Amino acid sequence: MAKKYVYLFKEAHGLGKELLGGKGAGLAEMTHIGVPIPQGFTVSTEACTLYYDSNKSMPKELIDQIDNGIREVEKETGKSFGGIEAGKTPLLVSVRSGARVSMPGMMDTILNLGLNDQSVETLAKVSNNERFAYDSYRRFILMFTNIAKGHPRTDMDRMLEKIKEDNGYKVDTEVTTEQLKALVKQYKEYYKTTFGEEFPTDPFVQLHEAVEAVFRSWDNPRANVYRKMNSIPYSWGTAVNVQSMVFGNLNENSGTGVAFSRDPSTGAKNIYAEYLPQAQGEDVVAGIRTPFHIDYLRNQMPDVYAQFEKTIKTMEAHYKDMQDMEYTVENGKLYFLQTRNGKRTAAAALQIALDLLDEGVISEDEAVLRVEPKLLDSLLHPTFNPKALKAATPIAQGNPASPGAGVGHLSFEASDAKARKEAGEKVILVRAETSPEDIEGMVSAEGILTMRGGMTSHAAVVARGMGKCCITGCSAAIVNEEARTVTINGKVYGEGDTLSIDGSTGNVYEGAMELIPADTKAGNFGRMMSLADKYRRLSIRTNADTPKDAIQAAEFGAEGIGLCRTEHMFFSSDRIFHMRRMILADTVEERETALASLLPYQRQDFYGLFMSMKGLEEINVNVRLLDPPLHEFLPQEEDKIEELAKSLNKSVKEVKDRIEYLHEFNPMMGHRGCRLDVTYPEIGRMQARAIIEAAIQASKDSGKEIEPEIMIPLTLDIKEFKYVKSVIVEEVEKVLKENNIKMKYHVGTMIEIPRAALLSGEIASEAEFYSFGTNDLTQMTFGFSRDDASKFLGSYYDKKIFESDPFQHVDQKGVGKLIKMAVKDGRETRPELLCGVCGEHGGDPESIEFFNRVGLDYVSCSPFRVPIARLAAAQAEITLKRAEAKKAK
């Protein structure tokens, strides 16, 4: 029996998102529970894989199943595909993408497919509305040319705009039937000129090309960017949904819109919807026209609205989550085109999850799973100062599409925004309306401002998903993208000008408004963090080199410091001279004299870090000994070299020779980390003394016992570690004896060299803890530098060798295997071995899931990632427990 690739909605219930994609599974489920939907079928994600495996072509067996699917829809609707059967209404279909997770606007859709010169006339007769028929036809030709043939729509859009300009029309609905007929003819001539062939009239040819186009869109640039950003595997593929058309542009009793069962910006428990009469869905989603509040539908067709409201409540109750729905009213009859769990802001995600918990709809652990950790980032950053807001007057107002505040210079093009962000500039992306191609610019911008579009336009939905502030439909902002200007109240603003935008109110302000930090201790945020702490196993620490960073992290819930990089402490002007004097010393005695000058600074630094944690039950501070190669501390500019030589009473040549001698061709693998302490043990002694003296004083002042963790970096061998440890322990014991005090302390190592991971069982006989430095471990396992990898990783993404940046998400197959092995072998030698991670992966939710699964004790991350890590750790543990329970059954 041939493999099945096509499933009718009515037969697909329960087959799941993996096979049907999110949209297809939703349509099957909606059919099952009796929601009125236009019928159709889903071409599975397996068919997408087949398409790519077949050199981007559809085999005959797949085409036959698609054609049979259309025949089944013909039977069910009583319509004729292509309108060739006398007395039957033409069957027109939409062809839409449907990945297993929502990717709004990232892939392609074609509407009104099945029209040709014959069927358009039939459609005009049966609908008694010739204008509607030709409006649908011109839309189809435009979308087919743009999507199926991959040709920009700019020229064809201008043809419509010219008709409107020549006749003084403001909206598309003013264009007459005869003008639409002429436009259809003009479109077809343009198609023939462009492609050297007639526009296809066979509806089956149209359908096959459209399905292929949707499959191709899985691999388009914007989809690839979105997938990489959201860790969606390329191997998943997309399903395609072929659905019979219903027409919101049929007559005055028709329209279309998007609805949310709760407010996607605030989470408030009320239907949040918009309605656009005499329109099709693309008009709303693309922001081509600005829709009305849902009250328009309530007032125009109260019975339809009552059914609309009842159905939305039914779907939310069924799915137990806030739903995002597209709907169409065709001549007074309501249809829902799709539903999915709605994208929402961080504030809304917290509100909805906790409300559903309080309503008894979901459990505590389910509420924790309902909030995407990375969304929390938007709650941790500044908003506008209320006093400044009160004193300021907005220069314009639009739709408050995604909350938060953004300040920046204006950018009018996505690639420009990206380039300027990379150069360190903050920008606001200003567009007439955004399109999916703007994704990289939206990611790079501090906020987004559009002239057109509603609360459910592309810009709004994508910005909310990113946690990025956004204002849409700001009609007072006249955007000229070619001139790169925006005119507001007669004043022209360009790329050098600054605007401040408030996505919570929709207000736009001239100049830079003052920003203030967010309050994250109370309300929904605090409650969700308490729930997360209840369910997580992993401890969360922070990477901090200053008391300021440490205090910020503690406010966000950090339980200690997992990494203090001591090298960052030597670069301030009052210390760098002593550091350079130590490096350029000719004898051990000179080196020790310079180190003695640095000792008080180091002691005070460590004291500040210990005291920053005094509010915690336990003061956990892990200090890494000096790590980078020494040449990084030396000057490179001629005048600075001369100044240093003079102050050290050395010749310029002597200093230059020493700098040249210390320079390394590959410093990542050079004279650094514990190798410095092997060569210059006096450095390790000074740092060990500073750490313990600071801990003794902080213990007295805080009234708490402190057990310092001293971390030896870059270990590769047990003998090497044992030597450096002996230097550290000897000095620590000396300090404790001088102070006549007993103190527990721990000496461990950073596992960042593959050899150390391989020899973990040996090293653990001496090391009391491991902290995986996943930045360097990734570099050394892959064999490339993170500073240079960006030059070629783009090619690896394009060719699907890598799907994500290994410095962003831990490589579970390679680096992860080393970590898992090191933990296992280390604990076989030392069962109580404390294991954590302190690389950038410590704040990445995807990586945290892995670290939890392999049994690490803690993760350490930057202060502003701490809440994200807390929630991600809870979700990882809940998911793991559920999987174990399922397996046990």
Side-chain angles (χ1 to χ4, degrees):
M1 184 177 176
K3 184 173 179 62
K4 189 173 176 65
Y5 292 105
V6 173
Y7 299 86
L8 297 172
F9 298 155
K10 64 183 182 181
E11 67 177 358
H13 176 249
L15 294 181
K17 294 180 180 180
E18 289 78 7
L19 181 67
L20 303 174
K23 193 173 295 181
L27 289 164
E29 191 72 18
M30 291 162 76
T31 301
H32 180 68
I33 63 175
V35 173
I37 69 165
Q39 282 302 311
F41 57 87
T42 298
V43 185
S44 72
T45 56
E46 292 178 344
C48 182
T49 302
L50 178 67
Y51 168 79
Y52 281 99
D53 288 346
S54 303
N55 198 26
K56 294 186 180 180
S57 65
M58 294 200 302
K60 184 178 184 302
E61 59 179 312
L62 177 56
I63 292 172
D64 288 345
Q65 289 189 36
I66 291 170
D67 292 352
N68 288 335
I70 280 290
R71 294 187 185 99
E72 288 297 321
V73 178
E74 282 184 312
K75 291 177 189 176
E76 191 155 351
T77 60
K79 296 179 180 180
S80 169
F81 192 50
I84 56 177
E85 291 188 46
K88 285 192 175 182
T89 301
L91 171 63
L92 306 185
V93 297
S94 62
V95 180
R96 302 171 187 260
S97 63
R100 70 171 76 174
V101 295
S102 176
M103 295 174 58
M106 296 304 112
M107 290 179 289
D108 293 329
T109 294
I110 296 179
L111 305 179
N112 308 308
L113 188 144
L115 280 171
N116 53 34
D117 290 348
Q118 179 183 347
S119 58
V120 72
E121 290 293 336
T122 307
L123 183 63
K125 288 176 184 176
V126 298
S127 66
N128 197 29
N129 189 335
E130 192 176 27
R131 189 196 179 282
F132 146 72
Y134 277 91
D135 181 49
S136 300
Y137 196 12
R138 68 93 187 167
R139 289 170 182 268
F140 169 55
I141 298 171
L142 171 61
M143 294 187 85
F144 189 90
T145 304
N146 178 225
I147 303 302
K149 305 301 284 188
H151 188 73
R153 56 183 288 164
T154 311
D155 292 340
M156 297 174 81
D157 281 337
R158 282 180 183 150
M159 295 173 197
L160 176 60
E161 288 302 315
K162 188 173 188 307
I163 292 173
K164 289 163 67 178
E165 288 171 10
D166 290 348
N167 292 275
Y169 301 152
K170 292 184 177 179
V171 292
D172 296 356
T173 50
E174 293 178 278
V175 179
T176 67
T177 303
E178 293 307 314
Q179 288 166 339
L180 286 171
K181 285 182 177 181
L183 185 60
V184 164
K185 185 178 180 181
Q186 192 177 3
Y187 277 1
K188 289 170 70 178
E189 288 171 353
Y190 178 82
Y191 184 97
K192 184 176 181 179
T193 301
T194 303
F195 302 109
E197 62 187 32
E198 298 287 348
F199 186 81
T201 58
D202 185 336
F204 285 96
V205 171
Q206 296 172 356
L207 178 61
H208 302 157
E209 288 200 38
V211 172
E212 288 197 2
V214 174
F215 283 152
R216 282 198 306 274
S217 71
W218 176 249
D219 198 24
N220 71 35
R222 64 181 185 268
N224 286 330
V225 168
Y226 190 90
R227 271 201 311 277
K228 181 171 173 286
M229 195 169 68
N230 292 279
S231 302
I232 300 170
Y234 177 77
S235 59
W236 282 4
T238 182
V240 179
N241 296 286
V242 179
Q243 192 171 19
S244 54
M245 284 291 301
V246 287
F247 299 99
N249 60 332
L250 178 61
N251 54 35
E252 61 184 14
N253 289 323
S254 303
T256 190
V258 174
F260 295 86
S261 59
R262 301 189 187 217
D263 190 318
S265 289
T266 67
K269 190 181 178 182
N270 52 265
I271 291 174
Y272 184 92
E274 294 174 325
Y275 180 71
L276 189 59
Q278 291 185 262
Q280 290 195 332
E282 63 167 324
D283 298 329
V284 178
V285 175
I288 294 169
R289 289 167 58 191
T290 301
F292 297 109
H293 188 271
I294 193 62
D295 283 348
Y296 186 103
L297 177 62
R298 188 204 304 259
N299 296 332
Q300 186 194 29
M301 292 178 273
D303 290 345
V304 172
Y305 180 82
Q307 182 191 5
F308 168 82
E309 187 176 44
K310 181 181 178 182
T311 306
I312 286 176
K313 290 178 179 177
T314 297
M315 285 198 280
E316 181 177 278
H318 180 77
Y319 286 102
K320 298 183 179 182
D321 200 357
M322 184 266 276
Q323 294 300 290
D324 168 6
M325 297 146 284
E326 292 180 22
Y327 68 96
T328 290
V329 179
E330 181 185 82
N331 197 28
K333 186 172 181 180
L334 175 67
Y335 295 91
F336 282 85
L337 308 183
Q338 72 165 25
T339 190
R340 59 192 175 196
N341 292 338
K343 295 286 183 184
R344 61 205 75 181
T345 63
L350 292 171
Q351 186 70 53
I352 292 167
L354 294 171
D355 280 351
L356 289 172
L357 172 61
D358 293 340
E359 292 163 20
V361 176
I362 59 175
S363 60
E364 269 189 358
D365 60 343
E366 185 62 32
V368 172
L369 292 175
R370 289 292 176 89
V371 180
E372 193 176 348
K374 68 179 183 180
L375 274 182
L376 295 180
D377 194 43
S378 65
L379 297 177
L380 308 178
H381 295 285
T383 54
F384 290 136
N385 186 323
K387 289 183 180 179
L389 277 177
K390 193 172 182 180
T393 302
I395 58 173
Q397 185 174 39
N399 297 314
S402 185
V407 179
H409 292 133
L410 306 188
S411 175
F412 296 87
E413 200 263 327
S415 60
D416 172 70
K418 181 173 183 284
R420 289 164 70 180
K421 167 68 182 294
E422 289 172 350
E425 186 178 359
K426 293 184 176 181
V427 299
I428 300 293
L429 182 64
V430 181
R431 303 285 283 160
E433 71 261 350
T434 63
S435 70
E437 283 76 14
D438 291 321
I439 181 72
E440 289 190 311
M442 296 174 76
V443 170
S444 302
E446 301 298 306
I448 300 134
L449 173 66
T450 72
M451 180 172 68
R452 293 191 287 268
M455 299 289 284
T456 52
S457 64
H458 171 266
V461 172
V462 174
R464 282 196 293 268
M466 292 179 183
K468 189 87 65 177
C469 71
C470 176
I471 298 172
T472 60
C474 186
S475 56
I478 311 303
V479 178
N480 185 329
E481 291 173 352
E482 290 184 7
R484 300 198 172 198
T485 62
V486 57
T487 304
I488 303 175
N489 301 326
K491 183 173 179 177
V492 179
Y493 298 86
E495 292 178 313
D497 294 308
T498 300
L499 291 182
S500 300
I501 66 173
D502 189 340
S504 302
T505 62
N507 289 335
V508 180
Y509 302 90
E510 184 175 333
M513 295 276 287
E514 182 187 352
L515 296 163
I516 59 170
D519 179 14
T520 58
K521 288 188 175 180
N524 289 339
F525 185 92
R527 185 180 171 196
M528 181 57 72
M529 288 296 99
S530 295
L531 283 177
D533 293 342
K534 177 179 177 180
Y535 285 94
R536 67 180 165 87
R537 181 191 62 79
L538 281 170
S539 177
I540 310 300
R541 298 191 186 187
T542 190
N543 302 337
D545 311 324
T546 67
K548 179 183 176 183
D549 285 347
I551 290 167
Q552 176 68 78
E555 288 178 359
F556 284 150
E559 297 164 295
I561 295 174
L563 174 65
C564 165
R565 306 174 183 91
T566 56
E567 58 270 12
H568 291 177
M569 299 169 171
F570 295 121
F571 283 100
S572 59
S573 57
D574 56 346
R575 307 170 190 209
I576 191 65
F577 169 72
H578 298 299
M579 189 66 180
R580 289 168 175 171
R581 184 159 62 103
M582 184 273 292
I583 294 169
L584 296 175
D586 294 320
T587 65
V588 173
E589 291 73 23
E590 287 180 3
R591 211 162 19 252
E592 287 177 337
T593 300
L595 287 167
S597 299
L598 287 170
L599 176 62
Y601 294 116
Q602 284 272 271
R603 183 169 53 230
Q604 188 61 33
D605 290 334
F606 299 143
Y607 173 81
L609 288 174
F610 286 126
M611 292 302 289
S612 69
M613 295 287 114
K614 67 181 180 181
L616 303 180
E617 288 185 19
E618 297 179 1
I619 297 180
N620 297 307
V621 176
N622 184 310
V623 180
R624 182 180 73 185
L625 300 180
L626 188 65
D627 185 45
L630 297 179
H631 78 269
E632 289 190 9
F633 297 96
L634 297 175
Q636 302 300 316
E637 304 87 350
E638 188 71 27
D639 58 331
K640 296 283 178 65
I641 292 173
E642 290 176 2
E643 183 182 329
L644 179 62
K646 185 178 180 181
S647 63
L648 293 177
N649 198 26
K650 292 178 181 286
S651 69
V652 171
K653 183 179 184 304
E654 283 180 288
V655 173
K656 282 187 173 181
D657 287 347
R658 183 66 173 165
I659 292 172
E660 179 64 26
Y661 171 76
L662 289 173
H663 176 75
E664 296 183 329
F665 291 104
N666 191 350
M668 182 185 78
M669 303 177 76
H671 192 189
R672 52 170 288 218
C674 65
R675 298 160 197 170
L676 294 172
D677 294 307
V678 171
T679 309
Y680 309 115
E682 52 272 21
I683 297 176
R685 289 194 193 100
M686 182 277 288
Q687 290 198 293
R689 174 171 286 273
I691 292 166
I692 298 302
E693 287 181 348
I696 291 170
Q697 189 62 48
S699 184
K700 291 176 182 177
D701 294 347
S702 67
K704 293 187 174 181
E705 288 188 11
I706 297 176
E707 296 183 18
E709 296 172 5
I710 303 173
M711 183 154 66
I712 297 171
L714 216 70
T715 295
L716 58 78
D717 189 86
I718 179 63
K719 294 179 191 174
E720 175 192 56
F721 178 82
K722 197 171 181 179
Y723 171 76
V724 178
K725 179 185 175 183
S726 69
V727 171
I728 301 305
V729 169
E730 181 184 356
E731 189 67 19
V732 169
E733 292 298 329
K734 187 177 178 182
V735 174
L736 293 177
K737 187 175 181 181
E738 289 170 1
N739 287 271
N740 193 27
I741 194 171
K742 289 185 177 181
M743 173 178 280
K744 286 186 179 180
Y745 61 94
H746 307 280
V747 181
T749 189
M750 213 166 173
I751 302 291
E752 44 197 330
I753 297 176
R755 190 176 192 273
L758 293 168
L759 299 178
S760 169
E762 293 182 17
I763 294 171
S765 64
E766 290 288 337
E768 295 178 75
F769 64 82
Y770 286 168
S771 181
F772 290 93
T774 53
N775 299 342
D776 274 353
L777 187 57
T778 298
Q779 290 189 100
M780 295 199 187
T781 303
F782 277 88
F784 52 61
S785 164
R786 62 176 167 161
D787 298 320
D788 300 315
S790 59
K791 296 173 183 175
F792 59 82
L793 278 181
S795 299
Y796 276 60
Y797 304 140
D798 292 343
K799 293 173 175 61
K800 308 299 183 293
I801 297 170
F802 290 166
E803 288 194 27
S804 64
D805 184 345
F807 294 105
Q808 207 169 56
H809 309 301
V810 72
D811 161 44
Q812 297 186 25
K813 289 179 67 177
V815 175
K817 190 172 184 178
L818 287 170
I819 292 172
K820 186 176 180 180
M821 180 180 61
V823 172
K824 178 178 176 292
D825 292 351
R827 285 180 176 159
E828 284 179 358
T829 300
R830 185 185 292 265
E832 73 281 9
L833 183 71
L834 181 72
C835 294
V837 63
C838 62
E840 288 302 310
H841 299 103
D844 169 53
E846 186 179 312
S847 302
I848 289 170
E849 186 278 328
F850 171 77
F851 298 140
N852 185 74
R853 184 159 30 93
V854 298
L856 295 194
D857 297 298
Y858 70 86
V859 297
S860 188
C861 55
S862 61
F864 278 89
R865 303 290 290 179
V866 167
I868 295 168
R870 288 166 69 190
L871 182 57
Q875 293 182 350
E877 183 67 8
I878 291 167
T879 302
L880 181 64
K881 293 295 185 192
R882 287 185 176 186
E884 289 173 349
K886 186 176 180 181
K887 189 176 180 180
K889 288 181 180 180

